[in-house]
Amino acid sequence: MLTKLLTGGLCLIALFLPITVKAIYIGDLTFSLASDREFVSKHIVNNNTSARLYQVSIIGIDSPSQQEVSTRPADGELLFAPRQLILQAGQSEYFKFYYHGPKDNRERYYRVSFREIPTQHGEITNNNGKISLEPIITIDTIMVVRPREINFKWQYDAINGTVANTGNTWFKLLIKPGCHTAEEEGDAYYVKPGQTVRTAKLRKKGNHFIVYNNKFIKISDSCPVSQDKNNETE
């Protein structure tokens, strides 16, 4: 089942790593292109104390998972701009991704890798006098192109403790046990078309939400609706 796999991965490459790495910041590691949009932007922030070069690579995947099958997107299917960025310390900019693929009822997935490269390679000395190298950092993200012909549907079975995605596009399921638990005590699932989440927590009292297109949909009535949810995003 797809749960935390959609959040991507972080890879640090260096000869020595007894140093503090501030690195790139890109926000959510799963992002979507809405069914009525032709492009989506990704905000990149250089949190380092010196300049960095940023590059992007894209591969198509059948489904985000440990057994995913990779494919090369067709020419012109998914383009991005700019080709690369150089950001000074503290600067930020946007990469834009343009979809020109089929406009049908199938959802598509791409693994988008952001690579952060020091503009000057060499040895540095930290506060302890140790010599090390600044790392090259690669962060994997998942870009989802929602179907151009959208069908958002789901089924909640409180007796059996299941939520099924019966439509053709993904959503996030948030499960918080009890009515007054903290946000970090809950569970989040990224549910693809055809998948079902089954857990005993769905049979118990709690705040259960589906997040779709930045909107929170309350699927159980065991707890009062929190007004704060109106201001939250996916």
Side-chain angles (χ1 to χ4, degrees):
M1 175 174 297
L2 180 63
T3 55
K4 306 298 187 291
L5 292 171
L6 271 171
T7 59
L10 174 64
C11 177
L12 301 179
I13 307 172
L15 293 180
F16 308 98
L17 280 176
I19 60 174
T20 300
V21 180
K22 292 187 177 180
I24 180 179
Y25 174 76
I26 61 174
D28 290 340
L29 298 183
T30 300
F31 62 106
S32 297
L33 175 63
S35 60
D36 59 348
R37 298 294 300 274
E38 297 298 327
F39 75 91
V40 63
S41 299
K42 195 64 175 163
H43 192 210
I44 308 298
V45 182
N46 180 3
N47 280 333
N48 296 279
T49 57
S50 59
R52 292 293 189 274
L53 171 68
Y54 295 93
Q55 298 176 335
V56 168
S57 62
I58 299 174
I59 59 172
I61 54 176
D62 63 332
S63 175
S65 69
Q66 292 178 340
Q67 292 80 36
E68 66 190 27
V69 177
S70 301
T71 59
R72 182 179 180 276
D75 290 343
E77 179 178 328
L78 183 61
L79 305 176
F80 64 90
R83 186 168 176 238
Q84 61 184 23
L85 287 171
I86 294 181
L87 298 178
Q88 301 299 318
Q91 285 188 333
S92 65
E93 191 51 89
Y94 290 88
F95 278 104
K96 289 186 177 180
F97 298 87
Y98 300 85
Y99 177 71
H100 300 290
K103 294 176 171 44
D104 53 22
N105 62 357
R106 185 166 72 86
E107 189 160 83
R108 289 170 171 83
Y109 308 94
Y110 302 87
R111 188 168 291 279
V112 181
S113 298
F114 295 88
R115 196 173 191 220
E116 179 184 79
I117 305 170
T119 55
Q120 294 182 346
H121 296 282
E123 296 180 342
I124 60 173
T125 304
N126 62 15
N127 294 333
N128 297 323
K130 297 179 179 178
I131 303 299
S132 64
L133 297 178
E134 294 187 88
I136 295 174
I137 295 175
T138 300
I139 298 182
D140 282 346
T141 65
I142 298 296
M143 176 179 169
V144 183
V145 175
R146 294 194 186 274
R148 307 294 90 178
E149 302 169 10
I150 205 76
N151 180 26
F152 170 59
K153 292 176 62 178
W154 51 273
Q155 290 182 345
Y156 171 47
D157 185 340
I159 296 177
N160 293 309
T162 63
V163 170
N165 186 339
T166 56
N168 66 354
T169 188
W170 79 283
F171 56 77
K172 183 191 289 187
L173 173 65
L174 299 179
I175 303 173
K176 290 179 60 179
C179 297
H180 305 288
T181 51
E183 198 70 33
E184 59 270 16
E185 296 180 68
D187 295 326
Y189 299 84
Y190 293 83
V191 190
K192 289 174 50 253
Q195 287 188 327
T196 299
V197 174
R198 183 183 302 273
T199 172
K201 293 180 180 179
L202 286 170
R203 299 198 302 267
K204 300 177 182 178
K205 186 176 182 180
N207 279 308
H208 309 142
F209 293 90
I210 283 176
V211 187
Y212 172 71
N213 274 357
N214 298 330
K215 296 180 180 179
F216 281 74
I217 303 169
K218 189 173 175 61
I219 64 173
S220 64
D221 56 5
S222 58
C223 296
V225 176
S226 171
Q227 297 301 317
D228 293 338
K229 288 298 177 188
N230 295 328
N231 300 321
E232 296 186 43
T233 60
E234 174 178 8

